[in-house]
């Protein structure tokens, strides 16, 4: 690489990493709040939140990488344009085709990374995330007993505690009731208690200290009352269903697996359509990254004597719009309304045509400005707004 290439690479790299980090942090923080609510509702340990967030990293990276690439290239070339360095580079014979070398090096590297993420890493991470959700709902992660609430342990036992210490190992103010099939009922209160493991993985012991036990039965005229210093109460754990195998949803299949499932005649039509639609969706999302350098450069360079940042705003709008169109097209293809190839690749070709036109207008049309009309409209709107603001500032206020 020449010194100019290294200089452009440095200009791209810094905003690329910064924007990718910001986008990733925003997505993670928003999801973190909802995961904390979900885990608290299910009564699971807080540490599982971090495991769930770790499994969402590939998904959020796949969303943030195109945004980071777009803004990295755009802000780098915008700086070159506004500081007149771009004019110097073009004056010494470096055309836009030559200047695209470094942006496309970034685009190819990040597209391959994104392909690895969406094609192979994300399916396994998504399956692990769904497995953690299943374990939380089924209690396999050791859901905590909520203080001050009645908690069902199995089908025939209810427990309530007033205080909990040492992550649930030390309990205070305990009430427990168990019902037998023959109509007998055992109720107990105790000042202290703790859970103990046994050799049987399906049973734990609740050791009660300093309490009273009441035994009721249809055979007894009056309930039997027993005061104890220590009493061990066996508690059968509920059976936990095993989580399904990977592949219960198309997002959990790798790209080769989607390709096979889409052609497998033993699968249902719905499954084949969903697999084909998701396969083309992932490929289109990765292929779109090769159009980003063309759009970014076209939007980065404002008209002469202008410092408008309209291109930055439009770049985000274009990326988000194209992503949402792909999602809608995938849904159409999965429902069989439109063939997945047509539903996803026709919008991609239109997006590619727009990118090529914008780049050609900038690079090969004298004085060409792809968004020149929008720039002029935005400039006039800003001028009108400033005039209106000055008018209201000059207008005397009535007493």
């Amino acid at each position: 690489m020449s010194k100019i290439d290294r200089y452009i690479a440095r200009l791209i790299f810094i905003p690329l990493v910064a924007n990718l980090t910001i986008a990733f942090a925003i997505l993670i923080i928003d999801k973190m709040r909802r995961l904390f609510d979900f885990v608290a509702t299910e009564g699971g340990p807080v540490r599982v939140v971090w495991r769930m967030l770790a499994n969402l990293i590939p998904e959020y990276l796949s969303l943030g990488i195109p945004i980071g690439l777009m803004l990295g290239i755009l802000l780098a070339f915008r700086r070159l344009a506004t500081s007149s360095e771009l004019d110097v580079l073009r004056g010494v014979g470096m055309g836009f085709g030559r200047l695209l070398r470094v942006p496309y090096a970034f685009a190819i590297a990040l597209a391959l990374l994104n392909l690895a993420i969406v094609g192979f890493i994300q399916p396994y991470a998504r399956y692990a995330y769904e497995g953690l959700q299943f374990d939380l709902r089924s209690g396999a992660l050791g859901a905590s007993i909520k203080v001050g609430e009645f908690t069902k342990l199995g089908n025939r036992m209810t427990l309530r505690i007033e205080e909990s210490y040492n992550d649930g190992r030390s309990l205070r103010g305990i009430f427990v009731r168990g019902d037998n099939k023959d109509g007998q009922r055992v109720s107990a209160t105790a000042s202290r208690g703790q859970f103990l493991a046994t050799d049987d993985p399906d049973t734990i012991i609740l050791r009660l200290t300093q309490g009273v036990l009441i035994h009721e039965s249809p055979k007894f005229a009056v309930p039997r009352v027993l005061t104890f210093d220590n009493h061990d109460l066996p508690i059968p754990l509920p059976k936990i269903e095993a989580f399904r195998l990977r592949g219960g949803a198309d997002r959990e299949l790798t790209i080769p697996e989607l390709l096979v499932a889409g052609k497998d005649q033993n699968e249902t039509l719905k499954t084949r359509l969903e697999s084909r639609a998701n396969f083309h969706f992932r490929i289109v999302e990765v292929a779109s990254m090769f159009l980003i350098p063309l759009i970014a450069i076209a939007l980065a360079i404002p008209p002469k004597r202008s410092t408008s940042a309209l291109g930055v705003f439009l770049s985000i709008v274009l990326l988000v719009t194209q992503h949402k169109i792909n999602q809608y097209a995938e849904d159409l293809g999965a429902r069989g309304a439109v063939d997945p190839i047509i539903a996803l690749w026709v919008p991609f070709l239109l997006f590619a045509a727009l990118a090529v036109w914008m780049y050609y207008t900038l690079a090969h049309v004298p004085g060409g400005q792809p968004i020149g009309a929008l720039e002029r409209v935005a400039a006039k709107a800003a001028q009108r707004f400033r005039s209106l603001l000055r008018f209201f500032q000059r207008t005397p206020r009535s007493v």
Side-chain angles (χ1 to χ4, degrees):
M1 295 179 67
S2 66
K3 291 184 179 180
I4 293 176
D5 289 332
R6 289 195 294 270
Y7 176 62
I8 294 176
R10 186 167 62 251
L11 290 180
I12 294 175
F13 181 77
I14 295 175
L16 187 156
V17 173
N19 285 288
L20 178 58
T21 303
I22 292 171
F24 179 76
I26 291 174
L27 292 170
I28 284 291
I29 290 172
D30 178 64
K31 190 65 175 183
M32 185 188 301
R33 177 185 57 82
R34 286 181 284 175
L35 284 180
F36 271 118
D37 291 339
F38 171 72
V39 172
T41 301
E42 298 296 333
V46 174
R47 62 180 179 274
V48 75
V49 173
W50 312 117
R51 294 171 59 189
M52 297 179 79
L53 284 174
N55 286 306
L56 288 175
I57 288 176
E59 180 178 348
Y60 289 158
L61 277 178
S62 68
L63 295 174
I65 285 175
I67 296 176
L69 178 64
M70 173 72 84
L71 291 180
I73 298 173
L74 190 148
L75 294 177
F77 275 82
R78 175 179 167 79
R79 176 176 172 179
L80 291 174
T82 55
S83 63
S84 299
E85 292 175 290
L86 184 61
D87 294 332
V88 174
L89 292 175
R90 297 197 67 191
V92 297
M94 297 187 70
F96 282 106
R98 171 64 179 81
L99 294 174
L100 275 172
R101 179 185 298 178
V102 174
Y104 263 104
F106 277 98
I108 292 171
L110 291 177
L112 292 176
L113 174 61
N114 216 14
L115 179 63
I117 290 174
V118 302
F120 302 95
I121 299 174
Q122 186 176 327
Y124 286 95
R126 188 70 196 183
Y127 176 70
Y129 175 82
E130 295 290 342
L132 288 172
Q133 280 193 325
F134 175 85
D135 289 342
L136 272 175
R137 293 191 176 101
S138 65
L141 287 174
S144 61
I145 296 172
K146 299 177 183 178
V147 175
E149 298 183 14
F150 289 95
T151 303
K152 296 289 290 185
L153 299 176
N155 296 325
R156 299 182 179 275
M157 188 163 291
T158 303
L159 175 68
R160 186 181 189 274
I161 61 173
E162 293 293 340
E163 300 175 9
S164 175
Y165 302 97
N166 299 326
D167 294 330
R169 289 187 290 271
S170 179
L171 310 176
R172 299 287 188 274
I174 302 169
F175 168 79
V176 61
R177 187 181 74 182
D179 298 315
N180 294 332
K181 294 181 180 180
D182 57 3
Q184 297 189 54
R185 175 181 297 171
V186 176
S187 303
T189 59
S191 60
R192 299 191 307 276
Q194 62 178 329
F195 287 108
L196 302 174
T198 67
D199 295 334
D200 184 359
D202 297 325
T203 303
I204 59 173
I205 294 295
L206 176 58
R207 175 163 293 174
L208 302 176
T209 304
Q210 296 181 350
V212 177
L213 185 145
I214 302 174
H215 186 189
E216 302 175 82
S217 173
K219 301 177 182 180
F220 303 154
V222 294
R224 295 180 179 180
V225 181
L226 172 67
T227 301
F228 58 85
D229 289 329
N230 290 288
H231 180 73
D232 289 344
L233 190 64
I235 298 178
L237 295 175
K239 298 293 183 181
I240 297 175
E241 181 184 357
F243 187 47
R244 58 175 170 77
L245 297 176
R246 185 177 62 87
D250 51 26
R251 289 192 295 176
E252 296 174 7
L253 297 176
T254 63
I255 284 180
E257 290 169 342
L258 284 173
L259 194 59
V260 171
K263 296 180 178 180
D264 190 353
Q265 296 301 319
N266 295 323
E267 298 285 354
T268 63
L269 177 61
K270 181 175 182 293
T271 300
R272 293 201 305 270
L273 288 173
E274 288 177 349
S275 299
R276 290 182 60 209
N278 192 253
F279 170 81
H280 288 287
F281 172 79
R282 296 190 202 182
I283 299 300
V284 164
E285 288 283 293
V286 174
S288 298
M289 294 186 62
F290 294 102
L291 303 176
I292 287 178
L294 301 179
I295 296 176
I297 289 181
L299 295 176
I301 302 172
K304 294 298 182 182
R305 297 180 298 278
S306 172
T307 58
S308 171
L310 180 62
V312 180
F313 171 74
L314 286 179
S315 66
I316 301 299
V317 171
L318 280 174
L319 272 186
V320 173
T321 302
Q322 195 254 352
H323 178 68
K324 291 299 180 182
I325 289 174
N326 287 342
Q327 287 181 326
Y328 179 68
E330 181 193 9
D331 183 60
L332 288 178
R335 289 190 283 110
V338 183
D339 186 277
I341 296 178
I342 297 175
L344 283 149
W345 287 99
V346 169
F348 170 79
L349 293 176
L350 293 176
F351 185 62
L354 175 64
V356 171
W357 172 80
M358 292 176 67
Y359 170 74
Y360 178 83
T361 301
L362 176 73
H364 300 289
V365 176
Q369 185 66 32
I371 57 171
L374 291 177
E375 290 276 4
R376 289 189 292 271
V377 171
K380 291 180 180 179
Q383 186 178 2
R384 289 283 185 89
F385 178 76
R386 287 193 295 267
S387 300
L388 190 62
L389 189 60
R390 286 194 296 268
F391 172 77
F392 281 112
Q393 288 175 345
R394 291 195 303 265
T395 302
R397 297 179 180 179
S398 59
V399 180

